[in-house]
Amino acid sequence: MIPADLSHAVVHAVRRAVEAGELSGPVPARVVVERTRPGGVGEYASPVALRMGRGAEGALVLAKALALEPGIATVEVTGPGFLNFTLSPLSAAELVRDVAGRAGRYGCLPVAPQPAAGTRREVVRDAVVRGAVVRIREGQGLPGEGEGLSVAPVARRDGDVVARYGAAAAVWAMVVVPARETPVFGDGLLVQGEENEVFRVRYAHARARALTRNAADLGFRGEPGDVDAPALLRALADHPLALEAAAHHRAPERLARHLVVVADALLDFQHQVLPLGDEKPSAAHRARLALAEAAGAVLAGGLALLGIDAPHFL
């Protein structure tokens, strides 16, 4: 189970409890599940019982039902009615297959976008709409004008910003901060180095593509399997949750920040993928390559949602 599945499992548990008369009130279309804050219990938490007005009593009803769900290791109730979850250990092979088999769920658009070059309002709204298309919920339409998205303008003319920094860097600066805040532009956006976040994300994608090419030269390709890469696995597992939060809150900056997490985890992991020296390609190398390729696909899809291209060479 990945975090997005957990959110759906909680919704189903609420529905069953309401139908059985154990809880009362409308069944929410979506349940917020977020990473537990430092010092908290478990890995993920949800205030759904509190929001239904049932507190700890309602949380205990849901905890009993959710403890039987495959993929959930433990469920605990804390405070006035928070549900706290620990998921069963994540299988790298299952996660890689999930990324490959459910591309839309991971934010992968079928065609790379043309780099956006409009006003900041257009750039942010386009990112919100693309995110809503991928994560749209039944019965809800796309974000429209006047739905709480107030966008601070760019201090200088948008065309000048794109001309100076390039489309990718300019768009990144526009979407990486909340819409109501004014984006910051500077020469750091021109740096081809690790201190430049948009370069780092695009470079990590390019590295994933390079690993595939280099592996082909060595005569092997990626195959899902077990991999010891907790940081990268956790980042990929959290990606659908980041997409859902970005779409729900109309906040593309949440997706941008998460792409940085994925990119950093991939860049730390990349050195383990290919055989070294006279080492022959093994099942472990094929599994690591498949995981790196899944991360590259997630980065490409996420960048596409923001209106930024993901080149194969950088």
Side-chain angles (χ1 to χ4, degrees):
M1 178 179 288
I2 62 173
D5 295 327
L6 176 59
S7 178
H8 299 314
V10 176
V11 170
H12 293 319
V14 171
R15 181 177 293 111
R16 291 194 302 269
V18 169
E19 292 174 350
E22 297 174 307
L23 291 179
S24 59
V27 178
R30 173 184 178 272
V31 167
V32 175
V33 174
E34 296 180 327
R35 273 283 178 185
T36 303
R37 295 178 181 178
V41 176
E43 298 174 314
Y44 300 93
S46 175
V48 60
L50 288 171
R51 294 189 175 179
M52 292 183 69
R54 297 305 303 268
E57 179 184 357
L60 287 170
V61 169
L62 295 175
K64 182 178 179 180
L66 288 164
L68 303 177
E69 285 285 336
I72 298 179
T74 63
V75 187
E76 297 181 57
V77 176
T78 59
F82 287 96
L83 286 166
N84 300 269
F85 305 93
T86 299
L87 301 185
S88 300
L90 190 64
S91 164
E94 292 175 355
L95 179 59
V96 169
R97 293 190 186 100
D98 203 24
V99 174
R102 293 190 278 183
R105 176 181 190 171
Y106 275 84
C108 300
L109 298 182
V111 179
Q114 294 295 320
T119 66
R120 189 197 181 201
R121 182 175 182 81
E122 293 168 341
V123 167
V124 173
R125 186 165 298 283
D126 285 350
V128 168
V129 170
R130 281 190 295 268
V133 168
V134 172
R135 301 300 301 159
I136 191 167
R137 294 175 295 281
E138 291 185 8
Q140 294 188 7
L142 299 179
E145 293 292 332
E147 291 190 4
L149 186 64
S150 175
V151 182
V154 175
R156 66 190 84 181
R157 288 197 309 117
D158 299 278
D160 293 342
V161 169
V162 173
R164 174 168 176 75
Y165 299 105
V171 170
W172 181 268
M174 293 179 193
V175 300
V176 78
V177 296
R180 291 179 176 84
E181 296 182 11
T182 301
V184 177
F185 297 91
D187 289 343
L189 291 170
L190 301 173
V191 174
Q192 303 292 290
E194 62 180 16
E195 61 268 38
N196 182 348
E197 287 183 338
V198 65
F199 172 81
R200 210 156 73 233
V201 173
R202 297 170 85 220
Y203 176 69
H205 169 263
R207 285 300 304 147
R209 302 296 303 187
L211 290 171
T212 298
R213 295 192 299 270
N214 294 339
D217 291 340
L218 295 173
F220 76 100
R221 60 184 181 181
E223 295 178 11
D226 292 333
V227 182
D228 182 18
L232 184 53
L233 289 171
R234 173 174 172 169
L236 295 187
D238 280 349
H239 187 66
L241 209 60
L243 281 178
E244 188 167 344
H248 179 72
H249 295 286
R250 301 181 177 87
E253 71 274 6
R254 294 190 177 211
L255 172 58
R257 291 298 178 195
H258 185 71
L259 292 181
V260 174
V261 174
V262 175
D264 288 346
L266 175 57
L267 290 173
D268 286 342
F269 173 72
Q270 62 168 324
H271 306 292
Q272 306 175 36
V273 174
L274 299 178
L276 299 176
D278 295 332
E279 191 178 11
K280 299 296 183 183
S282 65
H285 294 111
R286 292 192 289 273
R288 293 170 195 157
L289 176 61
L291 179 59
E293 290 172 334
V298 163
L299 291 174
L303 286 169
L305 287 176
L306 297 176
I308 300 173
D309 64 333
H312 290 191
F313 299 90
L314 196 62

